[in-house]
Amino acid sequence: MIMDSACSLLHSAHEDEREFEMGDYQGPVARWCAGCGDHSVLTSAQRLLAEEQLKPETTVFVSGIGCSSRFPHYMKTYGFHGIHGRALPVATGVKLTRPDLDVFVVMGDGDCVSIGAGHWIHAIRYNVDMVALLLDNNIYGLTKKQTSPTTPQGYRSNTQPRGSYLPAMNPLEATLGVTNASFVAQTAEWVPAHLFATLKAAHAHKGFAFVRILQRCPHFTPDMYAEAVKKPDIIEILDHPEGIRADGIDKVYKNKISHDPLNLNAARELAQDQSAIRLGLFFRDESYPRYEETRATNKRTAREKMDILNEEFDSYAV
Ligand code: SF4
């Protein structure tokens, strides 16, 4: 379902001089629960679009299935509310066909880390220029508190009432382990300045920018991040001149660790170590090949492609 919620396809040279405000990106009132972390991410995304003056008609939000996947409905941009686990291949197709568009992907933990895991790994490797947001609330919210791959071991859910059997999957560790991963960051929706700075850095990145957003689900897992919200000291901020700098959080979030985002091995170690909740840029390297660029070196006209195909078919003539 493609939603044409952008104001109009007809834009003149005069309209190109428009100045966009946050309201220009705001769709209908979001139907998420009160206090749901998705609201904060939505506001931050709308603020980013306004700050970067992205045109609504050349911006696309693609999602899969889940609570957070209702995201495109609430944006006054183009959107594609797709199939469970298939947001990334859809978004890849959009970006390869229309490289001029700004493409954002919104997925939940069930959507990305479970049913979409195969697509997730290959989207990282393809490194197509887009922003992929994993809104990780550690539970399937839409299907009423079912264990997801990121549910902590022992956490009780409606599908595993005695507690989740397995250790939770670590999306940062997994992403950093994939060949060609070029941007990996983590933020939290209850730290809006850091969330916004992270989205901004992800959008500025040339390549596949993967952002895991720790997201509260007050309806089903109100206790999941309660301690982290109350005690800022258990959060560690990754600090580096080349990293993500969020204005005004230093007074509250004093616990910092220096980390050079070009150091992949250190990023992997930090992601693996669960002794603290770490927010910041784990890794960024824009020198990694992007699929759309490497593919573009082989650009042929439609006529040339037809000639090659005909020649190939002719070789089978009997
Ligand atoms: Fe948000 Fe949880 Fe409500 Fe879904 S169930 S809208 S994730 S608070």
Side-chain angles (χ1 to χ4, degrees), residues 39-50:
H39 292 285
S40 168
V41 184
L42 181 70
T43 304
S44 217
Q46 290 163 345
R47 196 181 144 206
L48 173 75
L49 267 55

Side-chain angles (χ1 to χ4, degrees), residues 260-274:
D260 180 353
L262 268 174
N263 188 337
L264 182 57
N265 284 336
R268 285 174 173 157
E269 279 173 24
L270 285 170
Q272 194 178 31
D273 175 21
Q274 300 288 296

